[in-house]
Amino acid sequence: MKNVGNANYVQIDYEIQTHENEGTTILPSPEAYRRFKWTKEYFNEKPKEGYFIWARKSSDRPLITRISISSKNVSQNPANLVVIEKDVKARIYSICNAVKKDLCGNHVGSSKIILKENSRLVMNHFHRWGKEDRVNSGLEIFLGNGSEISDVYKCLEVPMRLNMENNIYLEEGSSANLVMTILAKHGEVKMHDSTFLNGRGSRGISRIRMIGDEKSRIVAHSRMIANDAGTGHVDCMGLLLAEDSSINAIPELVNNNKDASLTHEASVGKISEEVLNYLRSRGLTEDQAIDLVVAGFLGEEDPIVIEGQVIPLKSYM
Amino acid sequence: MLEVKDLEVIVGGRKILDGVNLRIDPGETCVLLGPNGSGKSTLLQAIVGNPTYQITGTIFFKGEDITQMPTNERIKRGLGISFQHPPAVRGVKLLDVMEEMHGDGEKIEEMAERMGLGDFLERDLNLGFSGGELKRSEMVQLLTLQPDLVLLDEPDSGVDVENLELIGEVINEILKRSSKPRFRNRSGLIITHMGSIMQYVKPDKGFVMLDGKIVCSGKPEELINQIKKNGYEGCMKCIN
């Protein structure tokens, strides 16, 4: 198996390769489960596949994981565990994809991220699926006191069915910034995320960006729950590009503490005629104006940089 | 440069312009005066080709009938407009739009710096901009386009004196007003409510619009002085 772009964990169908970075242990999850007894408290059951990342030392070099479906009717069930030790800073790019459009794959992934006291993680997920795939993904993030996570998820080619559930638990003084961007075309997407502000001074932001193109349906339920004196913001924005698409955005605020502050904003609609007219008045055609607004809505691609070298994301896909 | 003949415009089922006739020659800069709701902005939007408008009559630009032409084609042919209230475009940066207008990267930065917008290139277009910043952003986009006919919708509204002076300077530059009249080849149509911009840009001709019609034309200074003295009610009495 060819390892592209120095990825640290590569799984293509069921075949696996790992490459460690200095100060970080990277193993297939079943092996970590065997070797480190303490991981049993995090894995819900004995894992069959998936990656284990244990960052014990800060590093400028990002970690890269890739789980791909490349053959017909593959069914993957990765259970991933990421542990970032106290005061450690890390960056992870996590790629999941089907290399062809018609593989009828099934990907059921569950991930757990543990950030210990004052640690920091920047995590970027890039997903790209085929039209016949089915994907279920569960993510739990536990933030220790004073820790921080920036978790950016982007999927611009959705499978036939995508179900996602994210739960984030924040302790005192920790912060989580979650950004999820979905472009759905010929697919059904259900996203549920809940952010629990369980510690004083915790801060949570959940931003959802959705574009509904031809024959697509998106349901996004984003909850912010304050159990202690923290601040939280939920922001759901949806853009409908086709008549046969629909978006159901449900921002929800649950405040169980009088000293907590929660806010939300939400909007779903088509690109405003006023904006299109404005951009046309700058010499853009209708299609160019729409492309520009859509690209702006989806946000810039965050390039993968290893030791100063920019590696195009497509080389991992 | 521009000739508008018997222009009628219906917006949302309501007739806003009712038989407008207007001519602007090459090198000529005109002001369009009129009370709120008289149809001034609608006229500019009709000239630039707002696709939501129902239009009858004809618009000629550089001798070509552009009445049915899409907006981007009109811009390609040398039309340019600055909006009174440009919309915020979330996610699209000022730089993105200027690059789409085929602006040279270095020149874009240079122009933005000059307009005090160097830090705004990477910001979402018009989002959270102050009144002065909006106007300067419109001007920097026109500087990129370098149009032959500039349509300016109230460039002097909501701006302070310093901004107004800078905006006036840029309008003069685009219109090449420092050249001798016979060497000027660019034209302008400026909507102004109180004529503040006329302290910095000296137009050649003025028009007054009331109830969707151009009812009067003349020397700009004389028109504005009359309006300041007698209001638009005075215009009504004058034409009746």
Side-chain angles (χ1 to χ4, degrees), chain A residues 277-278 280-282 284 296 300, chain B residues 45 50-51 81 91 138 141:
Chain A
N277 193 36
Y278 182 70
R280 281 190 291 250
S281 79
R282 297 321 185 219
L284 277 69
E300 280 179 4
Chain B
Q45 287 289 325
N50 188 317
I81 185 168
E138 292 293 285
Q141 291 176 61

Side-chain angles (χ1 to χ4, degrees), chain A residues 38-110:
Chain A
W38 58 268
T39 62
K40 289 183 173 58
E41 72 171 287
Y42 298 119
F43 286 115
N44 296 332
E45 57 184 26
K46 192 177 170 186
K48 295 187 186 87
E49 51 191 317
Y51 58 78
F52 165 73
I53 295 175
W54 181 19
R56 285 164 282 118
K57 201 173 153 189
S58 297
S59 172
D60 291 336
R61 190 186 171 92
L63 299 157
I64 299 167
T65 68
R66 175 190 169 192
I67 301 178
S68 297
I69 292 174
S70 78
S71 310
K72 277 251 178 195
N73 301 315
V74 165
S75 187
Q76 293 176 326
N77 191 9
N80 308 314
L81 175 62
V82 176
V83 179
I84 311 295
E85 285 296 336
K86 186 181 171 189
D87 297 323
V88 169
K89 289 177 185 169
R91 173 161 206 146
I92 300 174
Y93 293 100
S94 164
I95 295 141
C96 290
N97 72 317
V99 298
K100 289 182 194 160
K101 302 284 163 218
D102 57 349
L103 296 176
C104 302
N106 189 29
H107 178 98
V108 181
S110 69

Side-chain angles (χ1 to χ4, degrees), chain A residues 102-212:
Chain A
D102 57 349
L103 296 176
C104 302
N106 189 29
H107 178 98
V108 181
S110 69
S111 300
K112 207 169 264 188
I113 299 174
I114 315 295
L115 283 111
K116 299 214 174 151
E117 202 178 329
N118 295 324
S119 62
R120 193 171 173 207
L121 176 63
V122 177
M123 184 123 188
N124 290 74
H125 309 259
F126 301 104
H127 284 202
R128 189 170 81 182
W129 303 104
K131 300 281 171 241
E132 309 292 327
D133 298 326
R134 289 161 196 268
V135 177
N136 276 283
S137 148
L139 170 67
E140 283 187 298
I141 303 174
F142 296 87
L143 288 121
N145 290 356
S147 62
E148 283 177 36
I149 189 166
S150 161
D151 189 83
V152 177
Y153 173 91
K154 195 173 265 195
C155 182
L156 306 186
E157 289 177 49
V158 298
M160 183 167 66
R161 283 215 178 83
L162 171 61
N163 288 315
M164 294 174 69
E165 182 157 352
N166 298 338
N167 290 303
I168 302 160
Y169 306 91
L170 292 98
E171 294 300 331
E172 192 176 319
S174 63
S175 75
N177 190 354
L178 176 77
V179 182
M180 297 171 78
T181 308
I182 294 274
L183 169 55
K185 192 174 180 180
H186 297 273
E188 192 177 301
V189 178
K190 286 182 183 166
M191 298 186 284
H192 293 267
D193 72 88
S194 299
T195 304
F196 297 87
L197 305 172
N198 293 336
R200 194 169 187 80
S202 53
R203 298 177 305 279
I205 296 175
S206 172
R207 291 184 201 281
I208 318 269
R209 299 284 178 268
M210 304 160 273
I211 296 189

Side-chain angles (χ1 to χ4, degrees), chain B:
Chain B
M1 180 70 79
L2 179 79
E3 193 166 10
V4 175
K5 284 185 179 172
D6 302 322
L7 188 71
E8 282 189 13
V9 174
I10 295 170
V11 183
R14 208 176 127 228
K15 191 187 273 187
I16 306 293
L17 298 184
D18 185 11
V20 171
N21 289 288
L22 174 80
R23 184 189 162 93
I24 301 173
D25 290 326
E28 193 173 50
T29 294
C30 304
V31 282
L32 181 60
L33 306 161
N36 288 336
S38 58
K40 305 184 296 296
S41 296
T42 304
L43 175 61
L44 262 54
Q45 287 289 325
I47 294 170
V48 89
N50 188 317
T52 63
Y53 290 3
Q54 273 179 268
I55 287 182
T56 53
T58 45
I59 304 167
F60 288 96
F61 177 56
K62 294 180 185 172
E64 186 180 13
D65 184 350
I66 61 165
T67 318
Q68 301 303 325
M69 201 177 269
T71 301
N72 61 298
E73 289 296 329
R74 301 182 198 210
I75 303 302
K76 248 192 230 172
R77 280 161 173 75
L79 268 175
I81 185 168
S82 84
F83 285 56
Q84 185 189 359
H85 300 296
V89 191
R90 203 180 275 269
V92 175
K93 297 179 176 72
L94 174 58
L95 180 65
D96 298 334
V97 176
M98 290 175 73
E99 282 177 344
E100 287 286 339
M101 291 190 280
H102 309 292
D104 175 284
E106 268 182 40
K107 272 194 180 165
I108 288 174
E109 270 187 43
E110 195 184 303
M111 287 185 291
E113 287 295 341
R114 180 182 161 200
M115 298 304 289
L117 293 171
D119 295 337
F120 287 67
L121 287 172
E122 292 292 336
R123 277 179 56 174
D124 285 1
L125 184 59
N126 304 330
L127 189 67
F129 287 20
S130 70
E133 288 158 358
L134 283 172
K135 299 294 178 191
R136 283 188 274 132
S137 163
E138 292 293 285
M139 288 302 130
V140 84
Q141 291 176 61
L142 284 181
L143 275 171
T144 308
L145 276 177
Q146 291 288 333
D148 295 324
L149 173 63
V150 192
L151 309 169
L152 299 145
D153 195 349
E154 297 207 27
D156 48 7
S157 68
V159 289
D160 56 28
V161 177
E162 284 83 10
N163 274 310
L164 190 57
E165 192 177 346
L166 180 61
I167 287 162
E169 188 186 305
V170 172
I171 295 172
N172 282 326
E173 183 183 315
I174 296 171
L175 293 171
K176 300 185 173 170
R177 298 296 289 175
S178 59
S179 304
K180 286 183 180 168
R182 64 195 164 101
F183 294 120
R184 289 179 202 153
N185 52 9
R186 288 191 174 157
S187 308
L189 179 59
I190 307 172
I191 292 179
T192 178
H193 206 60
M194 294 305 294
S196 314
I197 194 68
M198 287 163 61
Q199 292 170 62
Y200 303 98
V201 181
K202 302 294 175 197
D204 306 300
K205 200 192 277 179
F207 300 102
V208 178
M209 179 172 259
L210 295 175
D211 293 331
K213 287 182 179 141
I214 289 179
V215 294
C216 180
S217 64
K219 288 186 178 168
E221 290 294 338
E222 285 176 15
L223 288 175
I224 200 81
N225 288 338
Q226 282 299 318
I227 289 163
K228 280 180 182 169
K229 195 174 160 193
N230 303 316
Y232 287 107
E233 281 176 14
C235 293
M236 296 287 276
K237 281 179 195 159
C238 171
I239 58 170
N240 293 324

Side-chain angles (χ1 to χ4, degrees), chain A residues 222-226 232-234 251-255 261-264:
Chain A
S222 189
R223 295 200 306 157
M224 187 67 62
I225 303 111
H233 181 69
V234 174
E252 185 183 347
L253 306 179
V254 181
N255 197 337
S261 166
L262 303 180
T263 54
H264 78 80

